[in-house]
């Protein structure tokens, strides 16, 4: 089922290539080298040995304008972290009803965040990577529909997008490889912008199921507790641990300013899967930048806070050992951290930028700090 | 010889910074087009003229006329425009205007396409095109 939209888009692209439609090829690439600054630390996929592979990306996009307002687009992305195995990350057909309204169907990016749609296109933003405390949802694409309405309200540009679809794959939550199914992903995403100012709000819901594998100590502990609860007849308590057909919701608010070479960005996000072992996540970042012709310098502060509501604790007071087990699992899913990043971007070529970012990640629970430095060359062609 | 080259280079430089950019359309195009509309067309925000005709804009390929136009009319540097368009291209939200190599190519395009719009050095304007604005 997952392959179908890709196949359709591909056929469309191939068919058009051999006939009359115009096929455009665009691409982007990022070569990123980075490392952590201390022994035995890891962050953003780096350790103390320099890696040029971890965050590097190559991508090609083929788009074909078929006749009668129909177009087909496919984006093939090769990531260093996957040994540069090329994968279709986007493959969709678009029908333009009017200048203002278009419908796309196929495999696309879930527009969780302001920079979601062009997350891989490093050239489009100032950091080496967008603030990871916020940009941390472990999957990014879906298969389904996207309705896009762009209009002008006085001097303001409005972009309203409604999506519907599903996701089926494996993602790393608690365990490393958890079979995940997100059904009925539905969401709305609205951006209003006026010359130098832009504001955005997004809200998504999904019916969420994530299988926890026994491939991490936390995964093992969680599965054992769930099984014990279920075998002892505490079905509700077991269901409140498992991530099985639970309501997931995601909210994002953000704005950005680009005024007289002064740049300011902020995003706030909340992510929750009801009645599950996953803690409610609250994240934000604020970022200030200043542009001097081809140079940008920037400073970013990020914050992440994951915890369960107090009412979730002491769910089984009648059986103290199990009650304690539940409390431990809830407590174990807590996270609290912040990141400071300073960096610079230099547009040394009309289609290429050089970036250097230094980030200090602080885990407030373990009270440890990790520093990462990364250098990137981003290009579009 | 060296001096001559320098003098020529200087003339070209000073000429290019002082050059006036003319925005041109097909003589058959009767729409009123102001600076704001031109900016919107070149940012992909306006896709049709007032009379409903689809707009078919062309850019020049990173030469001094393009720099002048981007700076004066669109208000963005070449790099900023590249970043702006990359956000639209790779998300299926827009396609940047095609790039032609020089003033003459733009004149040829606009004079042979009723829906065409382009910009050239105003000293190069011919009778085959209509000037709607100068910057």
């Amino acid at each position: 089922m997952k392959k179908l939209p890709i196949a359709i888009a591909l056929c469309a692209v191939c068919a058009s290539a051999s006939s009359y439609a115009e096929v455009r090829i665009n691409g982007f690439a990022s070569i990123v080298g980075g490392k952590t600054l201390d022994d035995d630390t890891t962050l953003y996929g780096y350790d103390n040995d320099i890696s040029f592979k971890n965050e590097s990306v190559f991508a090609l996009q083929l788009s074909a304008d078929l006749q009668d307002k129909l177009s087909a687009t496919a984006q093939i992305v090769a990531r260093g972290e996957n040994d540069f195995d090329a994968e279709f990350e986007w493959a969709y057909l678009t029908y333009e009803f009017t200048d203002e309204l278009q419908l796309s169907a196929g495999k696309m990016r879930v527009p969780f965040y302001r920079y979601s749609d062009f997350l891989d296109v490093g050239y489009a933003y100032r950091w080496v990577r967008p603030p990871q405390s916020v940009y941390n949802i472990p999957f990014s694409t879906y298969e389904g529909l996207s309705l896009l309405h762009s209009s002008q309200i006085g001097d303001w540009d409005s972009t309203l997008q409604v999506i519907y679809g599903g996701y089926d794959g494996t993602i790393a939550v608690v365990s490393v490889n958890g079979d995940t199914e997100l059904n009925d992903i539905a969401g709305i995403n609205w951006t209003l912008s006026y010359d130098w100012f832009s504001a955005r709000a997004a809200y998504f819901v999904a019916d969420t199921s994530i299988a926890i594998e026994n491939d991490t100590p936390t995964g093992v502990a969680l599965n054992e507790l769930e099984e014990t609860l279920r075998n002892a007849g505490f079905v509700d308590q077991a269901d409140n641990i498992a991530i099985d057909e639970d309501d997931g919701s995601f909210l994002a608010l953000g704005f950005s300013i680009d005024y007289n070479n002064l740049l300011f960005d902020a995003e706030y996000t909340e992510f929750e899967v009801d009645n599950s072992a996953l803690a409610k996540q609250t994240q934000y970042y604020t970022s200030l930048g200043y542009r001097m012709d081809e140079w940008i310098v920037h400073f970013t502060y990020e914050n992440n806070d994951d915890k369960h509501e107090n009412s979730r604790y002491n769910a089984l007071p009648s059986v103290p050992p199990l009650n304690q087990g539940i409390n431990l699992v809830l407590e174990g899913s807590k996270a609290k951290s912040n990141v400071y990043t300073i960096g610079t971007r230099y547009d040394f070529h009309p289609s290429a930028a050089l970036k250097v970012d230094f980030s200090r990640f602080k885990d407030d629970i373990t009270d440890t700090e990790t520093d990462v430095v990364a250098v990137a060359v981003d290009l579009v062609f | 010889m060296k001096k001559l080259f320098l003098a020529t280079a200087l003339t070209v430089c000073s000429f290019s910074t002082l050059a006036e950019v003319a925005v041109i359309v097909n003589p058959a195009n009767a729409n009123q087009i102001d600076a704001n509309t031109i900016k919107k067309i070149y940012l992909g925000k306006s896709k049709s003229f007032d009379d409903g005709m689809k707009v078919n804009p062309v850019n020049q390929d990173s030469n001094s006329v393009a720099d002048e136009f981007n700076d004066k009319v669109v208000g963005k540097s070449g790099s900023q425009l590249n970043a702006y368009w990359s956000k639209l291209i790779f998300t299926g939200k827009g396609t940047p205007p095609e790039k032609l190599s020089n003033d003459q190519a733009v004149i040829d395009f606009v004079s042979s396409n009723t829906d065409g719009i382009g910009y050239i050095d105003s000293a190069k304007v011919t009778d085959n095109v209509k000037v709607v604005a100068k910057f």
Side-chain angles (χ1 to χ4, degrees), chain A residues 34-297:
Chain A
K35 69 190 285 288
T36 62
L37 298 187
D38 298 293
D39 290 341
D40 304 323
T41 55
T42 55
L43 188 63
Y44 307 143
Y46 292 108
D47 57 23
N48 199 221
D49 297 319
I50 190 160
S51 164
F52 284 94
K53 194 174 173 186
N54 177 38
E55 289 187 295
S56 294
V57 176
F58 277 86
L60 275 182
Q61 174 167 301
L62 302 175
S63 42
D65 276 328
L66 311 174
Q67 299 208 321
D68 294 327
K69 303 179 171 186
L70 193 63
S71 62
T73 309
Q75 201 179 96
I76 303 143
V77 182
R79 294 176 192 281
E81 58 177 352
N82 298 335
D83 282 328
F84 294 104
D85 283 345
E87 278 184 34
F88 280 91
E89 296 230 345
W90 301 65
Y92 58 95
L93 293 175
T94 298
Y95 185 78
E96 244 179 74
F97 293 97
T98 64
D99 282 354
E100 298 190 333
L101 191 67
Q102 67 178 52
L103 178 69
S104 301
K107 182 179 166 94
M108 291 164 285
R109 181 72 47 79
V110 187
F112 287 120
Y113 312 106
R114 165 177 295 282
Y115 296 98
S116 283
D117 278 351
F118 42 90
L119 209 54
D120 300 321
V121 192
Y123 187 82
Y125 44 80
R126 59 182 177 268
W127 309 275
V128 169
R129 67 193 80 78
Q132 295 299 294
S133 304
V134 170
Y135 287 71
N136 76 342
I137 290 204
F139 77 103
S140 70
T141 58
Y142 73 106
E143 287 94 39
L145 302 171
S146 159
L147 187 68
L148 186 72
H149 185 259
S150 331
S151 60
Q152 285 167 24
I153 306 170
D155 287 334
W156 292 73
D157 296 313
S158 158
T159 308
L160 183 69
Q161 184 182 17
V162 180
I163 70 151
Y164 178 79
Y167 170 87
D168 194 350
T170 58
I171 61 178
V173 171
V174 186
S175 60
V176 179
N177 283 304
D179 277 336
T180 302
E181 221 178 279
L182 300 170
N183 292 316
D184 297 326
I185 300 174
I188 187 162
N189 154 31
W190 189 30
T191 305
L192 263 182
S193 50
Y194 168 81
D195 195 33
W196 52 270
F197 177 80
S198 170
R200 177 180 185 274
Y203 188 74
F204 296 91
V205 291
D207 183 46
T208 309
S209 304
I210 305 174
I212 305 295
E213 301 296 328
N214 289 321
D215 56 11
T216 61
T218 320
V220 172
L222 214 134
N223 285 332
E224 277 176 2
L225 177 68
E226 192 214 329
E227 201 184 329
T228 310
L229 287 167
R230 213 173 282 284
N231 291 341
F234 299 112
V235 177
D236 285 352
Q237 284 80 359
D239 285 347
N240 281 344
I241 298 290
I243 312 165
D244 188 19
E245 296 183 9
D246 289 318
D247 292 334
S249 64
F250 175 87
L251 167 77
L253 299 170
F255 71 95
S256 71
I257 287 170
D258 181 344
Y259 187 73
N260 280 348
N261 294 322
L262 201 60
L263 311 168
F264 187 77
D265 274 71
E267 281 190 82
Y268 168 85
T269 53
E270 273 180 20
F271 172 58
E272 188 171 21
V273 180
D274 284 345
N275 305 319
S276 77
L278 295 183
K280 179 180 176 176
Q281 304 184 2
T282 311
Q283 297 104 348
Y284 67 84
Y285 75 84
T286 56
S287 177
L288 186 66
Y290 188 70
R291 187 190 298 118
M292 294 156 288
D293 297 318
E294 286 87 30
W295 290 85
I296 291 175
V297 287

Side-chain angles (χ1 to χ4, degrees), chain A residues 304-317:
Chain A
N304 174 40
D305 194 356
D306 303 351
K307 60 171 183 260
H308 286 283
E309 306 279 343
N310 286 334
S311 62
R312 291 287 309 274
Y313 287 82
N314 299 315
L316 200 50

Side-chain angles (χ1 to χ4, degrees), chain B residues 65-135:
Chain B
V65 189
D67 289 345
E68 197 84 1
F69 177 81
N70 292 339
D71 179 45
K72 286 179 174 169
V73 185
V74 188
K76 288 181 192 288
S77 71
S79 299
Q80 283 172 268
L81 266 179
N82 257 338
Y84 173 87
W85 279 109
S86 64
K87 293 175 190 176
L88 301 176
I89 294 168
F90 297 115
T91 59
K93 293 195 173 98
T95 311
E98 196 186 329
K99 286 179 175 171
L100 299 180
S101 55
N102 55 43
D103 289 336
Q104 191 54 49
V106 174
I107 293 173
D108 292 346
F109 177 85
V110 169
S111 59
S112 55
N113 289 286
T114 326
D115 55 2
I117 181 168
Y119 54 82
I120 55 171
D121 176 350
S122 64
K124 306 280 178 60
V125 171
T126 70
D127 290 344
N128 295 332
V129 294
K130 184 167 100 176
V131 174
V132 286
K134 286 186 179 181
F135 299 96

Side-chain angles (χ1 to χ4, degrees), chain B residues 1-16:
Chain B
M1 194 56 200
K2 229 178 197 170
K3 270 191 186 146
L4 180 63
F5 175 76
L6 191 65
T8 316
L10 277 176
T11 319
V12 170
C13 286
S14 57
F15 177 71
S16 69

